[in-house]
Amino acid sequence: MYIPKHFEITDKDEIFSFIKENAFGQLISHVDGQLFSSHIPFLANDDNSSLICHIAKQNPQWKDIEGQEILITFQGPHDYISPSWYKAPGVPTWNYQSVHIYGKAKLITDSEKIKTIIEDLTDIYESSSKKPWVPEYKGSLLNVIVGIEIQITNIQCKYKLSQNRSAVDQKQVIKELKIKGSTKLAQAMKNGL
Amino acid sequence: MYIPKHFEITDKDEIFSFIKENAFGQLISHVDGQLFSSHIPFLANDDNSSLICHIAKQNPQWKDIEGQEILITFQGPHDYISPSWYKAPGVPTWNYQSVHIYGKAKLITDSEKIKTIIEDLTDIYESSSKKPWVPEYKGSLLNVIVGIEIQITNIQCKYKLSQNRSAVDQKQVIKELKIKGSTKLAQAMKNGL
């Protein structure tokens, strides 16, 4: 992704914390030579060296993914930024946060390992539930999905949050985003101030 | 994208209205043979036969995009759906809406045409502003960006909104999403009921 210096984030803790918060990304690879994307949640492994996901076997994307150099994109809150909000002159733009992960894909077909992926994802997403769902499903379910582990080879992170504008303009953008109801994006900008 | 029948949307008016509402998509192509994605707003032309966007010339993506078969992905609101919300048994999933557009890319380098793209985008995004920004910028700006028109060859649309669950479960999911603050996703589900 094209990242001007003032929008580039290199802090790995920040990047993986962003991925955790915005885990519903896109798995982009080739199927029969054509671009293909699936929208799914991802999970980093213990040392953040790989990302793990699973898809339905009916989704053709897994069939020739083994060994492919693939791209996973994550996106956070985003919104249009009007130059009418600035004190100094400017042009229209869009503020957003995104992480792009490149890596080599490896299939996970072992039932026990797929079970672990489901349990790990469940732990994350059910943790805030009043009565967390406890994995309880037919073992045959494990036969209709396939896991994919992506060994990370390159990490790109861009926070495009008006860092190229004056402090006055940044504060006004935050204020206007709050009025618009873009509270998450406003908060991301505030965190960066 | 993998689309089970019950999640497939084919109504073109609905699809282009979704794109208009969720115009900040991803332009996915190859740069030097590697997958590459940019997060930018798109605009459909008058007869919805092509999508138009512009990127900075400093972004390398335009350099070899001419003639490429590229993919544009749009995503709407999304959230985790807990099986603990269902009356009948189920497994964890994610609800979301997405449109994937395949097409052939063509560069737009003519200043007047680039100016029109900027004006059209401005018309859309400044229309709700109290004091809409009137395009006023140095002509040299038109030399640092490049337009891209994507002639549409294939449209895929997936609304994964619990259509495979009972009416009782769907209503409960909408209720729980509202509690979580996922109001846009809840509304999308409600629209489909």
Side-chain angles (χ1 to χ4, degrees), chain A residues 133-152:
Chain A
W133 178 75
V134 179
E136 198 189 330
Y137 48 84
K138 290 181 196 149
S140 57
L141 173 80
L142 300 174
N143 299 326
V144 299
I145 59 174
V146 62
I148 302 170
E149 180 168 6
I150 299 98
Q151 191 72 34
I152 298 172

Side-chain angles (χ1 to χ4, degrees), chain A residues 2 24 26 28 30 35 37 39 58-59 73 75 78 80 82-83 92 94 96 98 100 102 125-126 131 133, chain B residues 2 24 26 28 30 35 37 39 58-59 73 75 78 80 82-83 92 94 96 98 100 102 125-126 133:
Chain A
Y2 167 57
F24 189 67
Q26 289 188 45
I28 304 165
H30 294 95
L35 292 168
S37 172
H39 302 247
Q58 285 191 287
N59 181 341
T73 63
Q75 193 182 67
H78 60 84
Y80 173 73
S82 170
W94 215 281
Y96 64 95
S98 179
H100 287 192
Y102 288 88
Y125 295 107
E126 290 291 329
K131 29 167 208 160
W133 178 75
Chain B
Y2 168 57
F24 190 67
Q26 289 188 45
I28 303 166
H30 294 94
L35 292 167
S37 171
H39 302 247
Q58 284 192 287
N59 180 341
T73 64
Q75 195 183 64
H78 60 84
Y80 173 74
S82 170
W94 215 281
Y96 64 94
S98 179
H100 287 193
Y102 288 88
Y125 295 107
E126 291 291 326
W133 178 75

Side-chain angles (χ1 to χ4, degrees), chain A residues 1-2 23-26 28-30 33-41 56 58-60 69-71 73-75 78-85 90-92 94-100 102 118 121-122 125-126 129-133 136-137 141 154 156 176 179, chain B residues 1-2 23-26 28-30 33-41 56 58-60 69-71 73-75 78-85 90-92 94-100 102 118 121-122 125-126 129-133 136-137 141 154 156 176 179:
Chain A
M1 146 174 66
Y2 167 57
F24 189 67
Q26 289 188 45
I28 304 165
S29 67
H30 294 95
Q34 196 178 32
L35 292 168
F36 197 97
S37 172
S38 294
H39 302 247
I40 42 169
Q58 285 191 287
N59 181 341
E69 194 76 38
I70 62 107
L71 169 62
T73 63
F74 298 98
Q75 193 182 67
H78 60 84
D79 213 331
Y80 173 73
I81 306 298
S82 170
S84 71
W85 301 344
V91 291
W94 215 281
N95 274 7
Y96 64 95
Q97 298 175 285
S98 179
V99 172
H100 287 192
Y102 288 88
I118 292 175
L121 281 168
T122 301
Y125 295 107
E126 290 291 329
S129 181
K130 279 167 293 183
K131 29 167 208 160
W133 178 75
E136 198 189 330
Y137 48 84
L141 173 80
N154 188 11
Q156 300 175 353
E176 297 281 353
I179 293 170
Chain B
M1 141 174 72
Y2 168 57
F24 190 67
Q26 289 188 45
I28 303 166
S29 66
H30 294 94
Q34 196 178 31
L35 292 167
F36 197 97
S37 171
S38 295
H39 302 247
I40 42 171
Q58 284 192 287
N59 180 341
E69 195 75 39
I70 62 108
L71 169 61
T73 64
F74 298 97
Q75 195 183 64
H78 60 84
D79 214 331
Y80 173 74
I81 305 299
S82 170
S84 71
W85 302 344
V91 290
W94 215 281
N95 275 8
Y96 64 94
Q97 298 174 286
S98 179
V99 172
H100 287 193
Y102 288 88
I118 294 175
L121 281 168
T122 301
Y125 295 107
E126 291 291 326
S129 181
K130 279 167 292 181
K131 31 168 206 156
W133 178 75
E136 197 189 331
Y137 48 81
L141 174 82
N154 187 14
Q156 301 175 353
E176 296 281 354
I179 293 169

Side-chain angles (χ1 to χ4, degrees), chain B residues 51 77 108 120 125 155-156:
Chain B
L51 291 176
I108 300 171
D120 289 349
Y125 295 107
I155 300 172
Q156 301 175 353

Side-chain angles (χ1 to χ4, degrees), chain B residues 59-71:
Chain B
N59 180 341
Q61 193 170 19
W62 66 273
K63 290 184 184 167
D64 51 3
I65 207 167
E66 176 93 26
Q68 274 194 45
E69 195 75 39
I70 62 108
L71 169 61

Side-chain angles (χ1 to χ4, degrees), chain A residues 16 19 42-45 48-53 72 74 101 148-152:
Chain A
F16 280 92
I19 290 174
F42 292 85
L43 188 71
N45 72 343
N48 292 338
S49 63
S50 68
L51 291 176
I52 297 155
C53 65
I72 298 162
F74 298 98
I101 300 279
I148 302 170
E149 180 168 6
I150 299 98
Q151 191 72 34
I152 298 172

